Amino acid sequence: DGGITQSPKYLFRKEGQNVTLSCEQNLNHDAMYWYRQDPGQGLRLIYYSQIVNDFQKGDIAEGYSVSREKKESFPLTVTSAQKNPTAFYLCASTENRDSQETQYFGPGTRLLVL
Amino acid sequence: EDQVTQSPEALRLQEGESSSLNCSYTVSGLRGLFWYRQDPGKGPEFLFTLYSAGEEKEKERLKATLTKKESFLHITAPKPEDSATYLCAVLNSGYALNFGKGTSLLVTP
């Protein structure tokens, strides 16, 4: 089955700790994205990558870092500099056919601070 | 600055009671308007993409329409399993979607 997987489903972070959220897709999509979702707010873009070895900051990149070494993988690290990391994190990828772009989402990772 | 506003924030319907959700937007160079359904604790599920004013798309009890300023998601004779949060998003000249805050729909038997 083709799709986007995120792991873990739940992640607990201790103060001062860096944690990494995994996102993998087997859809052969070029572009991948990380969003953050907080209660009562829309999804906000953290980082995106249009191609391997290249990525750009989104609206709320401070305290986060990413890498894109493989087309299938786009991990997100939440660093200790992110002071309010508790949120639901969503990874997405874009299928681009004939200028019609459809963005598909993974199941999400919920990050909680201990 | 691009803006996406969804209304109402929450909607409660009885089973079979049709209604519409609204998504109004201001964006320079709309490349697409997207509707998603999101169940609690899960990722958004893609429903529709609309590209130009006058366009309509349907899927089961859902029908999405688009004008130059807003989109409507019409729900005909809803069932309890249609209960979810419905998200609207726009794509402009950039690469990522700009989301509204969503409409939480509850359909009671």
Side-chain angles (χ1 to χ4, degrees):
Chain A
D1 282 337
I4 302 171
T5 57
Q6 291 187 240
S7 61
K9 186 172 181 179
Y10 295 96
L11 186 58
F12 298 91
R13 191 190 93 163
K14 295 179 181 178
E15 194 168 334
Q17 185 183 39
N18 292 353
V19 293
T20 297
L21 285 61
S22 169
C23 177
E24 303 277 334
Q25 54 98 0
N26 60 4
L27 301 168
N28 199 33
H29 288 176
D30 288 311
M32 297 185 74
Y33 308 79
W34 275 106
Y35 293 88
R36 169 178 171 145
Q37 188 175 34
D38 295 279
Q41 296 199 37
L43 277 68
R44 292 182 291 168
L45 181 67
I46 304 173
Y47 268 97
Y48 65 99
S49 168
Q50 293 292 107
I51 196 169
V52 174
N53 292 322
D54 188 39
F55 48 83
Q56 286 77 41
K57 293 181 179 180
D59 300 321
I60 56 165
E62 186 175 349
Y64 300 97
S65 65
V66 294
S67 62
R68 186 86 187 275
E69 297 177 0
K70 297 187 300 181
K71 187 176 184 178
E72 303 79 22
S73 178
F74 191 38
L76 173 74
T77 296
V78 183
T79 74
S80 57
Q82 173 50 244
K83 297 307 178 188
N84 185 21
T86 297
F88 191 47
Y89 290 86
L90 290 159
C91 177
S93 66
T94 298
E95 170 190 58
N96 191 344
R97 289 183 182 175
D98 303 324
S99 301
Q100 296 188 355
E101 300 183 41
T102 301
Q103 199 164 120
Y104 297 95
F105 284 83
T109 292
R110 187 165 298 281
L111 177 60
L112 300 165
V113 177
L114 294 176
Chain B
E1 184 179 323
D2 298 347
Q3 254 189 328
V4 181
T5 303
Q6 291 189 246
S7 62
E9 289 185 13
L11 181 63
R12 182 178 180 135
L13 299 173
Q14 287 223 307
E15 186 171 3
E17 180 186 2
S18 301
S19 188
S20 296
L21 312 183
N22 177 264
C23 173
S24 63
Y25 63 91
T26 54
V27 61
S28 54
L30 180 73
R31 289 169 58 198
L33 185 141
F34 299 77
W35 282 99
Y36 290 86
R37 169 194 170 126
Q38 186 176 26
D39 292 301
K42 297 191 176 180
E45 174 190 345
F46 171 73
L47 293 174
F48 304 109
T49 310
L50 302 168
Y51 294 99
S52 57
E55 190 175 359
E56 298 182 352
K57 288 191 177 174
E58 287 188 68
K59 180 180 179 180
E60 297 180 357
R61 294 177 292 282
L62 300 176
K63 179 180 177 181
T65 61
L66 181 65
T67 72
K68 289 186 177 181
K69 294 183 178 180
E70 57 192 351
S71 176
F72 292 94
L73 184 65
H74 307 277
I75 304 177
T76 302
K79 298 182 177 182
E81 52 262 41
D82 294 322
S83 298
T85 296
Y86 290 86
L87 303 174
C88 170
V90 298
L91 180 67
N92 60 7
S93 56
Y95 294 103
L97 297 176
N98 187 358
F99 281 86
K101 295 182 180 180
T103 292
S104 177
L105 174 66
L106 176 64
V107 182
T108 58

